[in-house]
């Protein structure tokens, strides 16, 4: 049994270990990581899944712009601890967080990931939608979803970090833990 909770400062170390296990140090070279450099994740949309003993999964979203003007979220990374993968935690974490993002007024989410996995949440080709990334990416893995009808109408251009700062991830104020 697990719960979805708001990410807390004390979760950050366990999340980094999980990311190292699942993605390795090479992850820092990826275009999505380059966009996130000097950004802080949206703390209101940073969630973890936990059981009584440990952290099982993490998801984060980052503030970006599309074409320099339209605000959007960059989803990722999402990671589930290897021995808990395939049990529905990832799907629940994405559905839960996308609902929260929509309720907070966000309209567009982009990500780099497996299309077969993300199609169920409404993600489609971002290249076909006229978007691009500021670095190399497998075109099949660059995806976008609308959280509001026609949010992508008239939107095109490059994904860039919004309001980049030199603050460290995890330094912002956190809301109370475990509500689910
Ligand atoms: C990818 C990941 C987040 C999915 O979370 P999960 O909890 O294991 O997945 P769930 O159990 O919620 O999802 C189950 C469904 O997704 C499918 N699925 C899982 N990973 C998939 C992938 N990479 N591509 C396509 N489908 C996938 C499963 O086959 C299953 O399909 P079904 O519902 O038709 O049976 C998780 O496996 C993980 O952390 N993997 C390593 C890190 C990673 O690749 N992160 C994503 C990078 S953006």
């Amino acid at each position: 049994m697990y719960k979805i909770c708001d990410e807390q400062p004390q979760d950050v170390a366990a999340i980094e270990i999980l990311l190292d296990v699942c993605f390795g140090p090479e992850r820092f070279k990826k275009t999505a990581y380059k966009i996130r450099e000097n950004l802080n994740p949206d703390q209101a949309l940073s969630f973890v899944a936990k059981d009584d003993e440990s952290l099982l999964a993490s998801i984060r979203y980052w503030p970006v712009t599309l074409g320099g003007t339209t605000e959007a979220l960059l989803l990722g990374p999402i990671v589930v601890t290897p021995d808990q993968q395939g049990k529905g935690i990832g799907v629940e974490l994405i559905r839960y967080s996308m609902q929260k993002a929509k309720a907070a007024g966000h309209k567009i989410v982009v990500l780099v990931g497996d299309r077969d996995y993300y199609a169920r949440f409404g993600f489609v080709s971002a290249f076909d939608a006229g978007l691009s990334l500021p670095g190399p990416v497998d075109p099949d893995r660059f995806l976008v979803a609308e959280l509001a009808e026609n949010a992508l109408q008239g939107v095109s251009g490059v994904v860039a970090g919004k309001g980049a700062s030199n603050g460290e991830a995890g330094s912002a104020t956190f809301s109370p833990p475990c509500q689910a």
Side-chain angles (χ1 to χ4, degrees):
M1 212 35 206
Y2 67 91
K3 290 178 178 177
I4 294 178
C5 312
D6 296 340
E7 182 190 310
Q8 300 296 306
Q10 59 267 30
D11 296 327
V12 171
I15 291 169
E16 285 306 311
I17 291 169
L18 192 50
L19 292 173
D20 272 344
V21 168
C22 289
F23 296 110
E26 288 295 300
R27 71 183 189 274
F28 295 109
K29 295 181 186 164
K30 291 181 176 173
T31 297
Y33 266 86
K34 298 280 180 205
I35 295 171
R36 298 195 287 254
E37 264 172 20
N38 298 325
L39 290 181
N40 288 316
D42 185 331
Q43 292 299 341
L45 297 173
S46 296
F47 300 106
V48 294
K50 287 177 174 173
D51 64 13
D52 290 342
E53 285 154 24
S54 51
L55 186 137
L56 306 181
S58 158
I59 190 167
R60 287 171 171 162
Y61 293 78
W62 307 73
V64 293
T65 55
L66 310 178
T69 49
T70 305
E71 294 189 4
L73 293 168
L74 174 65
L75 189 170
I78 172 165
V79 65
V80 178
T81 196
D83 67 349
Q84 297 294 322
Q85 290 177 8
K87 296 182 176 178
I89 298 175
V91 165
E92 193 177 349
L93 212 43
I94 293 171
R95 289 204 200 290
Y96 178 84
S97 57
M98 284 183 71
Q99 265 177 18
K100 291 280 185 186
K102 187 175 178 174
H106 296 287
K107 295 185 171 65
I108 301 171
V109 181
V110 293
L111 62 80
V112 179
D114 289 336
R115 191 192 295 222
D116 287 349
Y117 185 65
Y118 290 102
R120 73 193 73 198
F121 310 107
F123 283 90
V124 297
S125 166
F127 276 121
D128 290 352
L131 300 173
S132 56
L133 286 171
V137 66
D138 175 348
D140 286 340
R141 294 172 55 80
F142 179 35
L143 307 174
V144 64
E146 290 179 327
L147 300 179
E149 213 173 324
N150 299 324
L152 279 167
Q153 218 161 49
V155 177
S156 62
V158 183
V159 178
K162 173 173 171 272
S165 74
N166 290 321
E168 289 185 9
S171 62
T173 307
F174 285 80
S175 50
C178 288
Q179 1 161 319

